[in-house]
């Protein structure tokens, strides 16, 4: 019990010493019993009251564009060569795809992305903002195809792949 009392007394003395040091460090320095701080009182405010009428403009209720949506468009590009019998269908590994969306009132930003196909003819556009797109596919020696009204899906698991067939 005596040991606990000594500890408490030591803590109290240390705390009191710290407070005294802090008070002394923050006290204004005086010379000849006068404060060294300048008079900080300010003159009375004489500015006239604000007579501007309150803003009666209704608040903007237009929702901000959804920048958190990251849709995908995926699929395959196949080439059909009908000059041979039977016609030959092969995946096109050198096809180029461009996806476009024009801005409008609710979706102000124009979007234009480009990608190519892999060796299996597969392609993927990811991170697309919400909207309706036009998808264009091209390949050397094949006719160009344009699909309109393409809507990105939310994930690869729920978005069915598109199959685009280019003819010679």
């Amino acid at each position: 019990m005596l040991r606990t009392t000594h500890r408490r007394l030591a803590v109290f003395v240390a705390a009191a010493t710290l407070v005294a040091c802090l008070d002394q460090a923050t006290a204004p320095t005086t010379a000849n019993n006068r404060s060294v701080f300048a008079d900080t009182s300010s003159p009375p405010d004489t500015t006239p009251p604000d007579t501007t009428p309150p803003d009666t403009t209704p608040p903007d209720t237009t929702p901000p564009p959804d920048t958190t949506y990251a849709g995908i468009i995926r699929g395959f590009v196949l080439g059909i060569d009908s000059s041979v019998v039977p016609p030959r269908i092969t995946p096109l590994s050198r096809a180029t795809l461009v996806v476009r969306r024009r801005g409008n009132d609710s979706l102000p930003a124009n979007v234009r992305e480009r990608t190519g196909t892999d060796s299996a003819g597969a392609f993927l556009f990811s991170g697309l903002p919400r909207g309706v797109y036009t998808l264009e596919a091209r390949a050397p020696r094949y006719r160009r195809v344009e699909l309109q009204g393409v809507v990105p899906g939310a994930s690869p698991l729920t978005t069915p792949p598109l199959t685009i067939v280019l003819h010679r």
Side-chain angles (χ1 to χ4, degrees), residues 3-19:
R3 193 177 235 177
T4 304
T5 304
H6 284 297
R7 282 188 192 156
R8 285 185 185 160
L9 182 60
V11 169
F12 177 75
V13 170
T17 305
L18 179 61
V19 168

Side-chain angles (χ1 to χ4, degrees), residues 65-73 99-102 106-113 125-133 150-153:
D66 186 4
T67 57
T68 59
Y69 183 81
I72 67 161
I73 297 173
V99 67
R100 294 184 309 272
R101 183 196 77 195
R102 291 185 190 265
S106 62
L107 300 167
N110 290 336
V111 176
R112 181 182 168 94
E113 298 287 330
F125 290 99
S126 61
L128 296 173
R130 188 178 311 272
V132 179
Y133 290 82
V150 180
V151 178

